[in-house]
Amino acid sequence: MKTLAELKAIRDRMQNQVGLRAEDHNHIRVVVGMATCGIAAGARPVLTALSNAVQERGLTDKIAVTQTGCIGLCQYEPIVEVMAPGQPKVTYIRMTPEKAIEVLDRHLMGGRVIEEYTLGSADIK
């Protein structure tokens, strides 16, 4: 990516893939930090993996994958926040595409937060 036009094209393509439903409070919202720090740390492949997996599994009526700007925790990027109706927000840190799929399987589908990937995990110093 070398120009603002290329960045805009990527943004437009991802928004079309993701199917934004930020105002629908019946869906689980999965938000990936896509500010400069997140992108530099690998957030784009995380967003793509989550978006593709949700679409491939036919979960777009239950899970909305979106992106946001700076979350303010650059040292923990890539960050994925999960907001499920009636539950506290869960912030996953240092995500990879593989970890993101695990979050989809174990947390979003299985209902079990993966504590060792969260902001509150013991390995954060």
Side-chain angles (χ1 to χ4, degrees):
M1 170 177 49
K2 296 182 181 180
T3 68
L4 288 175
E6 288 177 303
L7 180 61
K8 183 182 181 321
I10 291 168
R11 178 178 177 260
D12 292 344
R13 187 173 63 244
M14 290 307 299
Q15 283 184 333
N16 289 335
Q17 281 183 356
V18 171
L20 301 175
R21 291 189 196 96
E23 298 303 316
D24 189 340
H25 298 289
N26 296 317
H27 285 74
I28 297 171
R29 287 184 54 221
V30 179
V31 180
V32 180
M34 289 290 289
T36 306
C37 53
I39 292 169
R44 185 172 290 117
V46 170
L47 176 66
T48 300
L50 282 168
S51 176
N52 289 346
V54 166
Q55 289 179 15
E56 289 166 4
R57 296 176 187 195
L59 299 172
T60 57
D61 60 332
K62 297 177 178 119
I63 300 170
V65 179
T66 63
Q67 61 187 28
T68 191
C70 185
I71 295 174
L73 300 166
C74 301
Q75 68 271 28
Y76 300 123
E77 292 285 358
I79 294 174
V80 173
E81 295 182 321
V82 174
M83 291 159 271
Q87 297 177 14
K89 176 176 72 173
V90 177
T91 302
Y92 288 103
I93 60 169
R94 299 182 182 119
M95 296 303 296
T96 65
E98 296 78 21
K99 287 180 180 178
I101 298 303
E102 190 176 349
V103 167
L104 177 64
D105 292 337
R106 291 176 53 195
H107 181 173
L108 303 177
M109 301 306 301
R112 294 179 313 275
V113 174
I114 306 172
E115 296 289 337
E116 60 268 26
Y117 297 166
T118 65
L119 184 59
S121 65
D123 65 337
I124 298 173
K125 294 167 176 63

